[in-house]
mmCIF file with all atom_site columns, all heavy atoms in Angstrom:
data_model
loop_
_atom_site.group_PDB
_atom_site.id
_atom_site.type_symbol
_atom_site.label_atom_id
_atom_site.label_alt_id
_atom_site.label_comp_id
_atom_site.label_asym_id
_atom_site.label_entity_id
_atom_site.label_seq_id
_atom_site.pdbx_PDB_ins_code
_atom_site.Cartn_x
_atom_site.Cartn_y
_atom_site.Cartn_z
_atom_site.occupancy
_atom_site.B_iso_or_equiv
_atom_site.pdbx_formal_charge
_atom_site.auth_seq_id
_atom_site.auth_comp_id
_atom_site.auth_asym_id
_atom_site.auth_atom_id
_atom_site.pdbx_PDB_model_num
ATOM 1   N N   . LEU A 1 1  ? 0.845   -1.192  0.000   1.00 88.00 ? 143 LEU A N   1
ATOM 2   C CA  . LEU A 1 1  ? 0.000   0.000   0.000   1.00 88.00 ? 143 LEU A CA  1
ATOM 3   C C   . LEU A 1 1  ? 0.877   1.237   0.000   1.00 88.00 ? 143 LEU A C   1
ATOM 4   O O   . LEU A 1 1  ? 1.668   1.456   0.932   1.00 88.00 ? 143 LEU A O   1
ATOM 5   C CB  . LEU A 1 1  ? -0.913  0.004   1.236   1.00 88.00 ? 143 LEU A CB  1
ATOM 6   C CG  . LEU A 1 1  ? -1.757  1.268   1.453   1.00 88.00 ? 143 LEU A CG  1
ATOM 7   C CD1 . LEU A 1 1  ? -2.785  1.424   0.331   1.00 88.00 ? 143 LEU A CD1 1
ATOM 8   C CD2 . LEU A 1 1  ? -2.436  1.224   2.815   1.00 88.00 ? 143 LEU A CD2 1
ATOM 9   N N   . THR A 1 2  ? 0.746   2.044   -1.045  1.00 84.00 ? 144 THR A N   1
ATOM 10  C CA  . THR A 1 2  ? 1.421   3.338   -1.075  1.00 84.00 ? 144 THR A CA  1
ATOM 11  C C   . THR A 1 2  ? 0.393   4.421   -0.748  1.00 84.00 ? 144 THR A C   1
ATOM 12  O O   . THR A 1 2  ? -0.769  4.131   -0.475  1.00 84.00 ? 144 THR A O   1
ATOM 13  C CB  . THR A 1 2  ? 2.052   3.584   -2.459  1.00 84.00 ? 144 THR A CB  1
ATOM 14  O OG1 . THR A 1 2  ? 1.008   3.638   -3.453  1.00 84.00 ? 144 THR A OG1 1
ATOM 15  C CG2 . THR A 1 2  ? 3.025   2.464   -2.819  1.00 84.00 ? 144 THR A CG2 1
ATOM 16  N N   . GLN A 1 3  ? 0.821   5.655   -0.804  1.00 74.00 ? 145 GLN A N   1
ATOM 17  C CA  . GLN A 1 3  ? -0.090  6.746   -0.459  1.00 74.00 ? 145 GLN A CA  1
ATOM 18  C C   . GLN A 1 3  ? -1.278  6.814   -1.402  1.00 74.00 ? 145 GLN A C   1
ATOM 19  O O   . GLN A 1 3  ? -2.390  7.116   -0.991  1.00 74.00 ? 145 GLN A O   1
ATOM 20  C CB  . GLN A 1 3  ? 0.662   8.091   -0.483  1.00 74.00 ? 145 GLN A CB  1
ATOM 21  C CG  . GLN A 1 3  ? 1.544   8.344   0.721   1.00 74.00 ? 145 GLN A CG  1
ATOM 22  C CD  . GLN A 1 3  ? 0.749   8.781   1.940   1.00 74.00 ? 145 GLN A CD  1
ATOM 23  O OE1 . GLN A 1 3  ? -0.479  8.822   1.908   1.00 74.00 ? 145 GLN A OE1 1
ATOM 24  N NE2 . GLN A 1 3  ? 1.435   9.113   3.028   1.00 74.00 ? 145 GLN A NE2 1
ATOM 25  N N   . ASP A 1 4  ? -1.052  6.514   -2.670  1.00 75.00 ? 146 ASP A N   1
ATOM 26  C CA  . ASP A 1 4  ? -2.112  6.735   -3.654  1.00 75.00 ? 146 ASP A CA  1
ATOM 27  C C   . ASP A 1 4  ? -2.622  5.478   -4.331  1.00 75.00 ? 146 ASP A C   1
ATOM 28  O O   . ASP A 1 4  ? -3.466  5.554   -5.220  1.00 75.00 ? 146 ASP A O   1
ATOM 29  C CB  . ASP A 1 4  ? -1.636  7.712   -4.741  1.00 75.00 ? 146 ASP A CB  1
ATOM 30  C CG  . ASP A 1 4  ? -0.439  7.177   -5.511  1.00 75.00 ? 146 ASP A CG  1
ATOM 31  O OD1 . ASP A 1 4  ? 0.212   6.235   -5.015  1.00 75.00 ? 146 ASP A OD1 1
ATOM 32  O OD2 . ASP A 1 4  ? -0.155  7.705   -6.603  1.00 75.00 ? 146 ASP A OD2 1
ATOM 33  N N   . ALA A 1 5  ? -2.109  4.305   -3.946  1.00 85.00 ? 147 ALA A N   1
ATOM 34  C CA  . ALA A 1 5  ? -2.561  3.088   -4.638  1.00 85.00 ? 147 ALA A CA  1
ATOM 35  C C   . ALA A 1 5  ? -2.321  1.862   -3.764  1.00 85.00 ? 147 ALA A C   1
ATOM 36  O O   . ALA A 1 5  ? -1.443  1.846   -2.896  1.00 85.00 ? 147 ALA A O   1
ATOM 37  C CB  . ALA A 1 5  ? -1.839  2.921   -5.969  1.00 85.00 ? 147 ALA A CB  1
ATOM 38  N N   . LEU A 1 6  ? -3.139  0.838   -4.006  1.00 89.00 ? 148 LEU A N   1
ATOM 39  C CA  . LEU A 1 6  ? -2.957  -0.472  -3.403  1.00 89.00 ? 148 LEU A CA  1
ATOM 40  C C   . LEU A 1 6  ? -2.501  -1.409  -4.511  1.00 89.00 ? 148 LEU A C   1
ATOM 41  O O   . LEU A 1 6  ? -3.199  -1.594  -5.512  1.00 89.00 ? 148 LEU A O   1
ATOM 42  C CB  . LEU A 1 6  ? -4.264  -0.974  -2.793  1.00 89.00 ? 148 LEU A CB  1
ATOM 43  C CG  . LEU A 1 6  ? -4.281  -2.421  -2.289  1.00 89.00 ? 148 LEU A CG  1
ATOM 44  C CD1 . LEU A 1 6  ? -3.271  -2.614  -1.158  1.00 89.00 ? 148 LEU A CD1 1
ATOM 45  C CD2 . LEU A 1 6  ? -5.684  -2.814  -1.830  1.00 89.00 ? 148 LEU A CD2 1
ATOM 46  N N   . TRP A 1 7  ? -1.340  -2.024  -4.339  1.00 90.00 ? 149 TRP A N   1
ATOM 47  C CA  . TRP A 1 7  ? -0.751  -2.902  -5.342  1.00 90.00 ? 149 TRP A CA  1
ATOM 48  C C   . TRP A 1 7  ? -0.841  -4.337  -4.839  1.00 90.00 ? 149 TRP A C   1
ATOM 49  O O   . TRP A 1 7  ? -0.181  -4.703  -3.860  1.00 90.00 ? 149 TRP A O   1
ATOM 50  C CB  . TRP A 1 7  ? 0.706   -2.516  -5.593  1.00 90.00 ? 149 TRP A CB  1
ATOM 51  C CG  . TRP A 1 7  ? 0.894   -1.092  -6.019  1.00 90.00 ? 149 TRP A CG  1
ATOM 52  C CD1 . TRP A 1 7  ? 1.037   0.004   -5.226  1.00 90.00 ? 149 TRP A CD1 1
ATOM 53  C CD2 . TRP A 1 7  ? 0.920   -0.617  -7.359  1.00 90.00 ? 149 TRP A CD2 1
ATOM 54  N NE1 . TRP A 1 7  ? 1.163   1.142   -5.979  1.00 90.00 ? 149 TRP A NE1 1
ATOM 55  C CE2 . TRP A 1 7  ? 1.104   0.797   -7.298  1.00 90.00 ? 149 TRP A CE2 1
ATOM 56  C CE3 . TRP A 1 7  ? 0.825   -1.229  -8.601  1.00 90.00 ? 149 TRP A CE3 1
ATOM 57  C CZ2 . TRP A 1 7  ? 1.173   1.588   -8.435  1.00 90.00 ? 149 TRP A CZ2 1
ATOM 58  C CZ3 . TRP A 1 7  ? 0.903   -0.438  -9.740  1.00 90.00 ? 149 TRP A CZ3 1
ATOM 59  C CH2 . TRP A 1 7  ? 1.074   0.944   -9.653  1.00 90.00 ? 149 TRP A CH2 1
ATOM 60  N N   . LEU A 1 8  ? -1.646  -5.170  -5.490  1.00 90.00 ? 150 LEU A N   1
ATOM 61  C CA  . LEU A 1 8  ? -1.832  -6.553  -5.086  1.00 90.00 ? 150 LEU A CA  1
ATOM 62  C C   . LEU A 1 8  ? -1.205  -7.483  -6.125  1.00 90.00 ? 150 LEU A C   1
ATOM 63  O O   . LEU A 1 8  ? -1.434  -7.305  -7.331  1.00 90.00 ? 150 LEU A O   1
ATOM 64  C CB  . LEU A 1 8  ? -3.317  -6.884  -4.938  1.00 90.00 ? 150 LEU A CB  1
ATOM 65  C CG  . LEU A 1 8  ? -4.077  -6.119  -3.846  1.00 90.00 ? 150 LEU A CG  1
ATOM 66  C CD1 . LEU A 1 8  ? -5.556  -6.501  -3.866  1.00 90.00 ? 150 LEU A CD1 1
ATOM 67  C CD2 . LEU A 1 8  ? -3.484  -6.386  -2.467  1.00 90.00 ? 150 LEU A CD2 1
ATOM 68  N N   . VAL A 1 9  ? -0.447  -8.474  -5.662  1.00 88.00 ? 151 VAL A N   1
ATOM 69  C CA  . VAL A 1 9  ? 0.195   -9.427  -6.569  1.00 88.00 ? 151 VAL A CA  1
ATOM 70  C C   . VAL A 1 9  ? -0.904  -10.147 -7.352  1.00 88.00 ? 151 VAL A C   1
ATOM 71  O O   . VAL A 1 9  ? -1.807  -10.749 -6.769  1.00 88.00 ? 151 VAL A O   1
ATOM 72  C CB  . VAL A 1 9  ? 1.060   -10.427 -5.786  1.00 88.00 ? 151 VAL A CB  1
ATOM 73  C CG1 . VAL A 1 9  ? 1.691   -11.444 -6.736  1.00 88.00 ? 151 VAL A CG1 1
ATOM 74  C CG2 . VAL A 1 9  ? 2.152   -9.680  -5.006  1.00 88.00 ? 151 VAL A CG2 1
ATOM 75  N N   . SER A 1 10 ? -0.835  -10.090 -8.656  1.00 84.00 ? 152 SER A N   1
ATOM 76  C CA  . SER A 1 10 ? -1.980  -10.448 -9.501  1.00 84.00 ? 152 SER A CA  1
ATOM 77  C C   . SER A 1 10 ? -2.425  -11.898 -9.326  1.00 84.00 ? 152 SER A C   1
ATOM 78  O O   . SER A 1 10 ? -3.612  -12.165 -9.132  1.00 84.00 ? 152 SER A O   1
ATOM 79  C CB  . SER A 1 10 ? -1.653  -10.164 -10.972 1.00 84.00 ? 152 SER A CB  1
ATOM 80  O OG  . SER A 1 10 ? -0.489  -10.873 -11.371 1.00 84.00 ? 152 SER A OG  1
ATOM 81  N N   . LYS A 1 11 ? -1.510  -12.860 -9.404  1.00 84.00 ? 153 LYS A N   1
ATOM 82  C CA  . LYS A 1 11 ? -1.926  -14.261 -9.316  1.00 84.00 ? 153 LYS A CA  1
ATOM 83  C C   . LYS A 1 11 ? -2.454  -14.589 -7.930  1.00 84.00 ? 153 LYS A C   1
ATOM 84  O O   . LYS A 1 11 ? -3.446  -15.313 -7.777  1.00 84.00 ? 153 LYS A O   1
ATOM 85  C CB  . LYS A 1 11 ? -0.763  -15.192 -9.663  1.00 84.00 ? 153 LYS A CB  1
ATOM 86  C CG  . LYS A 1 11 ? -1.196  -16.658 -9.761  1.00 84.00 ? 153 LYS A CG  1
ATOM 87  C CD  . LYS A 1 11 ? -0.057  -17.564 -10.175 1.00 84.00 ? 153 LYS A CD  1
ATOM 88  C CE  . LYS A 1 11 ? -0.557  -18.985 -10.445 1.00 84.00 ? 153 LYS A CE  1
ATOM 89  N NZ  . LYS A 1 11 ? -1.344  -19.545 -9.351  1.00 84.00 ? 153 LYS A NZ  1
ATOM 90  N N   . THR A 1 12 ? -1.833  -14.049 -6.908  1.00 81.00 ? 154 THR A N   1
ATOM 91  C CA  . THR A 1 12 ? -2.291  -14.310 -5.537  1.00 81.00 ? 154 THR A CA  1
ATOM 92  C C   . THR A 1 12 ? -3.717  -13.832 -5.329  1.00 81.00 ? 154 THR A C   1
ATOM 93  O O   . THR A 1 12 ? -4.571  -14.560 -4.811  1.00 81.00 ? 154 THR A O   1
ATOM 94  C CB  . THR A 1 12 ? -1.364  -13.619 -4.528  1.00 81.00 ? 154 THR A CB  1
ATOM 95  O OG1 . THR A 1 12 ? -0.044  -14.151 -4.657  1.00 81.00 ? 154 THR A OG1 1
ATOM 96  C CG2 . THR A 1 12 ? -1.847  -13.844 -3.098  1.00 81.00 ? 154 THR A CG2 1
ATOM 97  N N   . VAL A 1 13 ? -3.992  -12.607 -5.743  1.00 83.00 ? 155 VAL A N   1
ATOM 98  C CA  . VAL A 1 13 ? -5.327  -12.059 -5.512  1.00 83.00 ? 155 VAL A CA  1
ATOM 99  C C   . VAL A 1 13 ? -6.369  -12.803 -6.330  1.00 83.00 ? 155 VAL A C   1
ATOM 100 O O   . VAL A 1 13 ? -7.489  -13.054 -5.868  1.00 83.00 ? 155 VAL A O   1
ATOM 101 C CB  . VAL A 1 13 ? -5.364  -10.544 -5.804  1.00 83.00 ? 155 VAL A CB  1
ATOM 102 C CG1 . VAL A 1 13 ? -5.187  -10.242 -7.274  1.00 83.00 ? 155 VAL A CG1 1
ATOM 103 C CG2 . VAL A 1 13 ? -6.669  -9.930  -5.322  1.00 83.00 ? 155 VAL A CG2 1
ATOM 104 N N   . SER A 1 14 ? -6.031  -13.208 -7.550  1.00 82.00 ? 156 SER A N   1
ATOM 105 C CA  . SER A 1 14 ? -6.989  -13.926 -8.379  1.00 82.00 ? 156 SER A CA  1
ATOM 106 C C   . SER A 1 14 ? -7.323  -15.289 -7.787  1.00 82.00 ? 156 SER A C   1
ATOM 107 O O   . SER A 1 14 ? -8.495  -15.651 -7.646  1.00 82.00 ? 156 SER A O   1
ATOM 108 C CB  . SER A 1 14 ? -6.431  -14.091 -9.797  1.00 82.00 ? 156 SER A CB  1
ATOM 109 O OG  . SER A 1 14 ? -7.323  -14.819 -10.601 1.00 82.00 ? 156 SER A OG  1
ATOM 110 N N   . ASP A 1 15 ? -6.302  -16.054 -7.419  1.00 84.00 ? 157 ASP A N   1
ATOM 111 C CA  . ASP A 1 15 ? -6.526  -17.394 -6.871  1.00 84.00 ? 157 ASP A CA  1
ATOM 112 C C   . ASP A 1 15 ? -7.308  -17.339 -5.567  1.00 84.00 ? 157 ASP A C   1
ATOM 113 O O   . ASP A 1 15 ? -8.262  -18.098 -5.356  1.00 84.00 ? 157 ASP A O   1
ATOM 114 C CB  . ASP A 1 15 ? -5.192  -18.101 -6.637  1.00 84.00 ? 157 ASP A CB  1
ATOM 115 C CG  . ASP A 1 15 ? -4.494  -18.479 -7.940  1.00 84.00 ? 157 ASP A CG  1
ATOM 116 O OD1 . ASP A 1 15 ? -5.169  -18.450 -8.991  1.00 84.00 ? 157 ASP A OD1 1
ATOM 117 O OD2 . ASP A 1 15 ? -3.285  -18.786 -7.909  1.00 84.00 ? 157 ASP A OD2 1
ATOM 118 N N   . LYS A 1 16 ? -6.913  -16.458 -4.672  1.00 84.00 ? 158 LYS A N   1
ATOM 119 C CA  . LYS A 1 16 ? -7.559  -16.412 -3.360  1.00 84.00 ? 158 LYS A CA  1
ATOM 120 C C   . LYS A 1 16 ? -8.960  -15.816 -3.433  1.00 84.00 ? 158 LYS A C   1
ATOM 121 O O   . LYS A 1 16 ? -9.859  -16.240 -2.700  1.00 84.00 ? 158 LYS A O   1
ATOM 122 C CB  . LYS A 1 16 ? -6.685  -15.639 -2.367  1.00 84.00 ? 158 LYS A CB  1
ATOM 123 C CG  . LYS A 1 16 ? -5.387  -16.355 -2.023  1.00 84.00 ? 158 LYS A CG  1
ATOM 124 C CD  . LYS A 1 16 ? -4.628  -15.666 -0.903  1.00 84.00 ? 158 LYS A CD  1
ATOM 125 C CE  . LYS A 1 16 ? -3.386  -16.460 -0.503  1.00 84.00 ? 158 LYS A CE  1
ATOM 126 N NZ  . LYS A 1 16 ? -2.635  -15.820 0.613   1.00 84.00 ? 158 LYS A NZ  1
ATOM 127 N N   . LEU A 1 17 ? -9.159  -14.826 -4.302  1.00 84.00 ? 159 LEU A N   1
ATOM 128 C CA  . LEU A 1 17 ? -10.489 -14.239 -4.446  1.00 84.00 ? 159 LEU A CA  1
ATOM 129 C C   . LEU A 1 17 ? -11.454 -15.249 -5.047  1.00 84.00 ? 159 LEU A C   1
ATOM 130 O O   . LEU A 1 17 ? -12.594 -15.388 -4.578  1.00 84.00 ? 159 LEU A O   1
ATOM 131 C CB  . LEU A 1 17 ? -10.424 -12.991 -5.322  1.00 84.00 ? 159 LEU A CB  1
ATOM 132 C CG  . LEU A 1 17 ? -11.744 -12.263 -5.578  1.00 84.00 ? 159 LEU A CG  1
ATOM 133 C CD1 . LEU A 1 17 ? -12.369 -11.798 -4.269  1.00 84.00 ? 159 LEU A CD1 1
ATOM 134 C CD2 . LEU A 1 17 ? -11.543 -11.076 -6.519  1.00 84.00 ? 159 LEU A CD2 1
ATOM 135 N N   . ARG A 1 18 ? -11.012 -15.989 -6.063  1.00 82.00 ? 160 ARG A N   1
ATOM 136 C CA  . ARG A 1 18 ? -11.868 -17.005 -6.661  1.00 82.00 ? 160 ARG A CA  1
ATOM 137 C C   . ARG A 1 18 ? -12.236 -18.072 -5.636  1.00 82.00 ? 160 ARG A C   1
ATOM 138 O O   . ARG A 1 18 ? -13.401 -18.456 -5.499  1.00 82.00 ? 160 ARG A O   1
ATOM 139 C CB  . ARG A 1 18 ? -11.171 -17.663 -7.850  1.00 82.00 ? 160 ARG A CB  1
ATOM 140 C CG  . ARG A 1 18 ? -12.037 -18.700 -8.552  1.00 82.00 ? 160 ARG A CG  1
ATOM 141 C CD  . ARG A 1 18 ? -11.245 -19.560 -9.526  1.00 82.00 ? 160 ARG A CD  1
ATOM 142 N NE  . ARG A 1 18 ? -10.664 -18.773 -10.598 1.00 82.00 ? 160 ARG A NE  1
ATOM 143 C CZ  . ARG A 1 18 ? -9.351  -18.536 -10.704 1.00 82.00 ? 160 ARG A CZ  1
ATOM 144 N NH1 . ARG A 1 18 ? -8.511  -19.016 -9.793  1.00 82.00 ? 160 ARG A NH1 1
ATOM 145 N NH2 . ARG A 1 18 ? -8.882  -17.816 -11.702 1.00 82.00 ? 160 ARG A NH2 1
ATOM 146 N N   . ALA A 1 19 ? -11.237 -18.546 -4.888  1.00 83.00 ? 161 ALA A N   1
ATOM 147 C CA  . ALA A 1 19 ? -11.500 -19.584 -3.893  1.00 83.00 ? 161 ALA A CA  1
ATOM 148 C C   . ALA A 1 19 ? -12.464 -19.098 -2.818  1.00 83.00 ? 161 ALA A C   1
ATOM 149 O O   . ALA A 1 19 ? -13.392 -19.809 -2.419  1.00 83.00 ? 161 ALA A O   1
ATOM 150 C CB  . ALA A 1 19 ? -10.186 -20.022 -3.244  1.00 83.00 ? 161 ALA A CB  1
ATOM 151 N N   . HIS A 1 20 ? -12.274 -17.862 -2.360  1.00 79.00 ? 162 HIS A N   1
ATOM 152 C CA  . HIS A 1 20 ? -13.153 -17.319 -1.311  1.00 79.00 ? 162 HIS A CA  1
ATOM 153 C C   . HIS A 1 20 ? -14.592 -17.213 -1.805  1.00 79.00 ? 162 HIS A C   1
ATOM 154 O O   . HIS A 1 20 ? -15.535 -17.616 -1.095  1.00 79.00 ? 162 HIS A O   1
ATOM 155 C CB  . HIS A 1 20 ? -12.640 -15.950 -0.870  1.00 79.00 ? 162 HIS A CB  1
ATOM 156 C CG  . HIS A 1 20 ? -13.594 -15.197 0.007   1.00 79.00 ? 162 HIS A CG  1
ATOM 157 N ND1 . HIS A 1 20 ? -13.842 -15.550 1.318   1.00 79.00 ? 162 HIS A ND1 1
ATOM 158 C CD2 . HIS A 1 20 ? -14.390 -14.114 -0.239  1.00 79.00 ? 162 HIS A CD2 1
ATOM 159 C CE1 . HIS A 1 20 ? -14.730 -14.725 1.842   1.00 79.00 ? 162 HIS A CE1 1
ATOM 160 N NE2 . HIS A 1 20 ? -15.077 -13.850 0.916   1.00 79.00 ? 162 HIS A NE2 1
ATOM 161 N N   . LEU A 1 21 ? -14.796 -16.704 -3.012  1.00 77.00 ? 163 LEU A N   1
ATOM 162 C CA  . LEU A 1 21 ? -16.155 -16.520 -3.518  1.00 77.00 ? 163 LEU A CA  1
ATOM 163 C C   . LEU A 1 21 ? -16.828 -17.859 -3.802  1.00 77.00 ? 163 LEU A C   1
ATOM 164 O O   . LEU A 1 21 ? -18.027 -18.024 -3.543  1.00 77.00 ? 163 LEU A O   1
ATOM 165 C CB  . LEU A 1 21 ? -16.129 -15.653 -4.773  1.00 77.00 ? 163 LEU A CB  1
ATOM 166 C CG  . LEU A 1 21 ? -15.679 -14.199 -4.557  1.00 77.00 ? 163 LEU A CG  1
ATOM 167 C CD1 . LEU A 1 21 ? -15.664 -13.439 -5.885  1.00 77.00 ? 163 LEU A CD1 1
ATOM 168 C CD2 . LEU A 1 21 ? -16.573 -13.484 -3.560  1.00 77.00 ? 163 LEU A CD2 1
ATOM 169 N N   . LEU A 1 22 ? -16.087 -18.817 -4.338  1.00 78.00 ? 164 LEU A N   1
ATOM 170 C CA  . LEU A 1 22 ? -16.672 -20.132 -4.579  1.00 78.00 ? 164 LEU A CA  1
ATOM 171 C C   . LEU A 1 22 ? -17.075 -20.806 -3.271  1.00 78.00 ? 164 LEU A C   1
ATOM 172 O O   . LEU A 1 22 ? -18.107 -21.469 -3.184  1.00 78.00 ? 164 LEU A O   1
ATOM 173 C CB  . LEU A 1 22 ? -15.682 -21.021 -5.337  1.00 78.00 ? 164 LEU A CB  1
ATOM 174 C CG  . LEU A 1 22 ? -15.444 -20.657 -6.811  1.00 78.00 ? 164 LEU A CG  1
ATOM 175 C CD1 . LEU A 1 22 ? -14.331 -21.504 -7.396  1.00 78.00 ? 164 LEU A CD1 1
ATOM 176 C CD2 . LEU A 1 22 ? -16.721 -20.806 -7.627  1.00 78.00 ? 164 LEU A CD2 1
ATOM 177 N N   . GLN A 1 23 ? -16.264 -20.628 -2.217  1.00 73.00 ? 165 GLN A N   1
ATOM 178 C CA  . GLN A 1 23 ? -16.608 -21.192 -0.917  1.00 73.00 ? 165 GLN A CA  1
ATOM 179 C C   . GLN A 1 23 ? -17.860 -20.546 -0.333  1.00 73.00 ? 165 GLN A C   1
ATOM 180 O O   . GLN A 1 23 ? -18.566 -21.164 0.466   1.00 73.00 ? 165 GLN A O   1
ATOM 181 C CB  . GLN A 1 23 ? -15.426 -21.026 0.043   1.00 73.00 ? 165 GLN A CB  1
ATOM 182 C CG  . GLN A 1 23 ? -14.253 -21.934 -0.284  1.00 73.00 ? 165 GLN A CG  1
ATOM 183 C CD  . GLN A 1 23 ? -12.997 -21.578 0.484   1.00 73.00 ? 165 GLN A CD  1
ATOM 184 O OE1 . GLN A 1 23 ? -12.995 -20.631 1.281   1.00 73.00 ? 165 GLN A OE1 1
ATOM 185 N NE2 . GLN A 1 23 ? -11.921 -22.312 0.255   1.00 73.00 ? 165 GLN A NE2 1
ATOM 186 N N   . GLN A 1 24 ? -18.150 -19.312 -0.744  1.00 69.00 ? 166 GLN A N   1
ATOM 187 C CA  . GLN A 1 24 ? -19.357 -18.630 -0.289  1.00 69.00 ? 166 GLN A CA  1
ATOM 188 C C   . GLN A 1 24 ? -20.570 -18.983 -1.149  1.00 69.00 ? 166 GLN A C   1
ATOM 189 O O   . GLN A 1 24 ? -21.659 -18.451 -0.937  1.00 69.00 ? 166 GLN A O   1
ATOM 190 C CB  . GLN A 1 24 ? -19.155 -17.098 -0.312  1.00 69.00 ? 166 GLN A CB  1
ATOM 191 C CG  . GLN A 1 24 ? -17.984 -16.604 0.516   1.00 69.00 ? 166 GLN A CG  1
ATOM 192 C CD  . GLN A 1 24 ? -18.088 -17.007 1.957   1.00 69.00 ? 166 GLN A CD  1
ATOM 193 O OE1 . GLN A 1 24 ? -19.117 -16.803 2.582   1.00 69.00 ? 166 GLN A OE1 1
ATOM 194 N NE2 . GLN A 1 24 ? -17.021 -17.598 2.499   1.00 69.00 ? 166 GLN A NE2 1
ATOM 195 N N   . GLY A 1 25 ? -20.377 -19.846 -2.140  1.00 69.00 ? 167 GLY A N   1
ATOM 196 C CA  . GLY A 1 25 ? -21.480 -20.223 -3.022  1.00 69.00 ? 167 GLY A CA  1
ATOM 197 C C   . GLY A 1 25 ? -21.753 -19.211 -4.112  1.00 69.00 ? 167 GLY A C   1
ATOM 198 O O   . GLY A 1 25 ? -22.824 -19.200 -4.705  1.00 69.00 ? 167 GLY A O   1
ATOM 199 N N   . ILE A 1 26 ? -20.776 -18.352 -4.404  1.00 68.00 ? 168 ILE A N   1
ATOM 200 C CA  . ILE A 1 26 ? -20.947 -17.302 -5.412  1.00 68.00 ? 168 ILE A CA  1
ATOM 201 C C   . ILE A 1 26 ? -20.316 -17.780 -6.711  1.00 68.00 ? 168 ILE A C   1
ATOM 202 O O   . ILE A 1 26 ? -19.120 -18.062 -6.762  1.00 68.00 ? 168 ILE A O   1
ATOM 203 C CB  . ILE A 1 26 ? -20.300 -15.981 -4.961  1.00 68.00 ? 168 ILE A CB  1
ATOM 204 C CG1 . ILE A 1 26 ? -20.977 -15.478 -3.680  1.00 68.00 ? 168 ILE A CG1 1
ATOM 205 C CG2 . ILE A 1 26 ? -20.372 -14.931 -6.059  1.00 68.00 ? 168 ILE A CG2 1
ATOM 206 C CD1 . ILE A 1 26 ? -20.267 -14.322 -3.034  1.00 68.00 ? 168 ILE A CD1 1
ATOM 207 N N   . ASP A 1 27 ? -21.131 -17.875 -7.763  1.00 63.00 ? 169 ASP A N   1
ATOM 208 C CA  . ASP A 1 27 ? -20.646 -18.330 -9.047  1.00 63.00 ? 169 ASP A CA  1
ATOM 209 C C   . ASP A 1 27 ? -20.434 -17.148 -9.987  1.00 63.00 ? 169 ASP A C   1
ATOM 210 O O   . ASP A 1 27 ? -20.690 -16.010 -9.642  1.00 63.00 ? 169 ASP A O   1
ATOM 211 C CB  . ASP A 1 27 ? -21.647 -19.315 -9.666  1.00 63.00 ? 169 ASP A CB  1
ATOM 212 C CG  . ASP A 1 27 ? -21.741 -20.593 -8.852  1.00 63.00 ? 169 ASP A CG  1
ATOM 213 O OD1 . ASP A 1 27 ? -20.691 -21.098 -8.442  1.00 63.00 ? 169 ASP A OD1 1
ATOM 214 O OD2 . ASP A 1 27 ? -22.863 -21.066 -8.624  1.00 63.00 ? 169 ASP A OD2 1
ATOM 215 N N   . GLY A 1 28 ? -19.985 -17.464 -11.190 1.00 63.00 ? 170 GLY A N   1
ATOM 216 C CA  . GLY A 1 28 ? -19.752 -16.429 -12.184 1.00 63.00 ? 170 GLY A CA  1
ATOM 217 C C   . GLY A 1 28 ? -18.325 -15.933 -12.194 1.00 63.00 ? 170 GLY A C   1
ATOM 218 O O   . GLY A 1 28 ? -17.998 -15.000 -12.919 1.00 63.00 ? 170 GLY A O   1
ATOM 219 N N   . ILE A 1 29 ? -17.429 -16.543 -11.384 1.00 69.00 ? 171 ILE A N   1
ATOM 220 C CA  . ILE A 1 29 ? -16.035 -16.142 -11.365 1.00 69.00 ? 171 ILE A CA  1
ATOM 221 C C   . ILE A 1 29 ? -15.284 -17.029 -12.353 1.00 69.00 ? 171 ILE A C   1
ATOM 222 O O   . ILE A 1 29 ? -15.235 -18.245 -12.181 1.00 69.00 ? 171 ILE A O   1
ATOM 223 C CB  . ILE A 1 29 ? -15.417 -16.296 -9.954  1.00 69.00 ? 171 ILE A CB  1
ATOM 224 C CG1 . ILE A 1 29 ? -16.322 -15.631 -8.913  1.00 69.00 ? 171 ILE A CG1 1
ATOM 225 C CG2 . ILE A 1 29 ? -14.013 -15.727 -9.914  1.00 69.00 ? 171 ILE A CG2 1
ATOM 226 C CD1 . ILE A 1 29 ? -16.561 -14.162 -9.159  1.00 69.00 ? 171 ILE A CD1 1
ATOM 227 N N   . PRO A 1 30 ? -14.687 -16.466 -13.392 1.00 69.00 ? 172 PRO A N   1
ATOM 228 C CA  . PRO A 1 30 ? -14.026 -17.301 -14.407 1.00 69.00 ? 172 PRO A CA  1
ATOM 229 C C   . PRO A 1 30 ? -12.875 -18.107 -13.819 1.00 69.00 ? 172 PRO A C   1
ATOM 230 O O   . PRO A 1 30 ? -12.216 -17.690 -12.863 1.00 69.00 ? 172 PRO A O   1
ATOM 231 C CB  . PRO A 1 30 ? -13.527 -16.274 -15.432 1.00 69.00 ? 172 PRO A CB  1
ATOM 232 C CG  . PRO A 1 30 ? -14.344 -15.046 -15.194 1.00 69.00 ? 172 PRO A CG  1
ATOM 233 C CD  . PRO A 1 30 ? -14.666 -15.038 -13.736 1.00 69.00 ? 172 PRO A CD  1
#
């Protein structure tokens, strides 16, 4: 996190976000 932006490692955020949403029963995530 810098003063003007949040920089998230792309593969990490994609894998973990997909897994979290699928575990919540939320579909539509490619």
Side-chain angles (χ1 to χ4, degrees):
L143 174 66
T144 63
Q145 283 282 4
D146 61 343
L148 172 62
W149 303 87
L150 296 177
V151 178
S152 57
K153 187 177 188 308
T154 298
V155 68
S156 178
D157 290 345
K158 292 188 176 181
L159 180 60
R160 182 193 298 109
H162 169 72
L163 294 179
L164 289 173
Q165 289 169 0
Q166 303 302 310
I168 298 170
D169 294 317
I171 310 301

